[in-house]
Amino acid sequence: ARLKASLNKTRQKLLGPLEEAVQFHKRISPEFYEELEEILITSDVGMKTTMLLMEKLKAKVKAERVDDTEAVLGYLHTIITELLSVPPPAVLDSDSPLAILVAGVNGVGKTTSIAKLTAHYKEKGKSCLLVAGDTFRAAAIDQLAIWAKRTGADLVSHQAGADPGAVAFDGISAANARKTDVVIFDTAGRLHTKVNLMSELQKVHRVVTQNLGPRQLVKFLVLDATTGQNALEQARVFHEAIGIDGIILTKLDGTAKGGIVLAIVVELGLPIVWLGIGEKAEDLRRFDAAEFATALLG
Ligand code: GDP
C-alpha cells in the first residue's frame, strides 16, 4: 500500500492516459499503438525501452489474436513484470558476511540510503560497521557518524581531506578483525571533478576487493528517481568505472518519473534492489517486479 501511494503521481501520468486510450480506441489499430508509444515515452520509460515494450506487446496481441484494446493493460502488466525481473545478487539473501560499497553523486540520497540499509540489517540482528569514505565533505563524515550512533553501528572515519583509500583499508580491516556481519562504505559523489572522482572510486574499490577476507562484495549505485533520464547517464558512468551489482532508487515518493525504473533495468541490465520511498530509516522497500507493475498499473 505504501509503494502504491508512493507511485501515485507516476501512475496518474501513465495509467490515466493508457486507460483513456483503451476506452477511446476500443479496437487495436496503428493509431492506438502510436498513442501508447507516446504515453510511455512521456512517462520517462525512454525511447529504447518503449520500443521493446511495444514490440513485445504487438507480438502478444498477435499470438492471442485479440483486437480489443481492453486486453492490453493486462498484457502490459505481464510484459513489464518480465522485463523488470532481473535477479538481485544472490549473496544478499545468504548469510555470508558482506562488504557493501555505495556509490552515487551528491544529493541523490546516498547517506540516507546507507542509514536505511543499516537499520535493515540491524533489525535482522546483524552487526554493522559504517566507513566514512566521502572524506571530501566534512558534513558527510558527521552525517554518517550521527547515523551510526542512531542505528547502533560501528564507525570508521578519518579527518576531512584524508585519503579515501586509507579509510577504506582501515574500514575493511576493522570489520574483518571484529567479524562484523555487514560493512558499508560511503563514497564521495562530487560531480565537478568527474575524472578524479572515478579514479578515487576505483581505488577504494580496489582496496576493498583486495582485502575482502571472507566477505562477499556488493556494489550499489544510488540513483534519484526525480532526475529521470539523467539517472541513466550517471548509471552508465559508474557502471563503467567499477561495475555495479544493483541499484538503490531513491525519492520514488512524490515523483511522476517512476517510469525511469523500466529504462534503468532494460537499458543497463541492472537489477533495482531497493526503493527509497521517504526520508525515514524505515522508508526502504525491497524491489519486487510484480508488485511494482501492479503498483504502476493499478
Ligand atoms: P547524499 O548527498 O547522496 O548523501 O544525500 P542525502 O542522503 O543527504 O539525501 C539528500 C536529501 O534527499 C535529504 O534531504 C534526504 O532526506 C532526501 N532523501 C533521501 N532519500 C529519500 C527518499 O527515498 N525519499 C525522499 N522523499 N527523500 C529522500
Side-chain angles (χ1 to χ4, degrees):
R2 265 304 293 287
L3 178 66
K4 194 161 179 179
S6 302
L7 282 169
N8 269 345
K9 283 191 184 159
T10 302
R11 193 170 50 251
Q12 273 164 24
K13 190 156 176 194
L14 186 67
L15 185 63
L18 282 179
E19 280 176 332
E20 272 172 37
V22 163
Q23 272 162 24
F24 178 80
H25 288 275
K26 296 198 170 58
R27 297 276 163 265
I28 289 170
S29 64
E31 292 75 27
F32 171 67
Y33 278 141
E34 240 169 69
E35 204 171 319
L36 287 199
E37 222 173 276
E38 207 175 299
I39 294 166
L40 288 168
I41 288 170
T42 53
S43 300
D44 278 81
V45 172
M47 185 69 91
K48 197 172 157 193
T49 308
T50 296
M51 292 308 155
L52 182 66
L53 261 173
M54 293 305 298
E55 196 181 296
K56 287 182 179 288
L57 179 65
K58 287 174 188 174
K60 180 88 176 154
V61 163
K62 211 166 182 181
E64 301 285 336
R65 296 164 186 259
V66 295
D67 73 344
D68 199 329
T69 56
E70 287 278 355
V72 160
L73 284 183
Y75 295 165
L76 272 181
H77 184 283
T78 309
I79 294 165
I80 287 175
T81 303
E82 276 169 19
L83 287 178
L84 290 178
S85 295
V86 176
V91 63
L92 284 176
D93 299 306
S94 74
D95 260 332
S96 166
L98 293 175
I100 301 178
L101 190 71
V102 184
V105 308
N106 288 343
V108 292
K110 203 165 40 198
T111 313
T112 311
S113 297
I114 290 172
K116 289 171 176 175
L117 277 179
T118 310
H120 162 79
Y121 282 115
K122 276 285 174 186
E123 205 182 289
K124 292 209 314 185
K126 308 259 186 200
S127 54
C128 295
L129 187 152
L130 307 186
V131 184
D134 184 358
T135 58
F136 193 74
R137 293 188 299 172
I141 302 174
D142 296 344
Q143 269 296 312
L144 210 67
I146 291 169
W147 278 114
K149 201 163 177 193
R150 225 180 258 174
T151 52
D154 287 347
L155 176 80
V156 166
S157 66
H158 289 189
Q159 281 178 346
D163 172 17
V167 188
F169 181 78
D170 282 357
I172 190 90
S173 304
N176 287 341
R178 298 175 202 173
K179 297 191 169 37
T180 308
D181 295 314
V182 183
V183 51
I184 305 180
F185 297 86
D186 187 17
T187 60
R190 62 191 182 281
L191 253 192
H192 52 280
T193 54
K194 205 148 118 190
V195 177
N196 289 343
L197 176 65
M198 288 305 151
S199 58
E200 176 183 314
L201 188 60
Q202 285 166 329
K203 184 176 170 193
V204 169
H205 178 222
R206 206 157 48 234
V207 167
V208 173
T209 307
Q210 286 168 354
N211 297 282
L212 267 182
R215 280 164 209 285
Q216 305 263 7
L217 176 62
V218 178
K219 290 161 279 175
F220 282 132
L221 177 65
V222 183
L223 296 175
D224 176 343
T226 64
T227 62
Q229 296 291 317
N230 247 335
L232 268 187
E233 207 34 59
Q234 290 169 18
R236 285 203 182 91
V237 175
F238 279 95
H239 194 35
E240 198 170 301
I242 58 166
I244 298 299
D245 299 311
I247 303 291
I248 301 175
L249 190 68
T250 63
K251 310 186 198 180
L252 204 60
D253 51 305
T255 179
K257 298 185 174 177
I260 194 64
V261 163
L262 277 152
I264 290 169
V265 177
V266 172
E267 292 197 31
L268 302 165
L270 289 174
I272 290 177
V273 181
W274 293 104
L275 296 176
I277 56 167
E279 297 184 278
K280 295 203 208 75
E282 66 269 23
D283 294 334
L284 186 71
R285 293 286 177 282
R286 249 325 254 279
F287 179 79
D288 177 88
E291 186 194 13
F292 188 84
T294 303
L296 201 61
L297 295 177

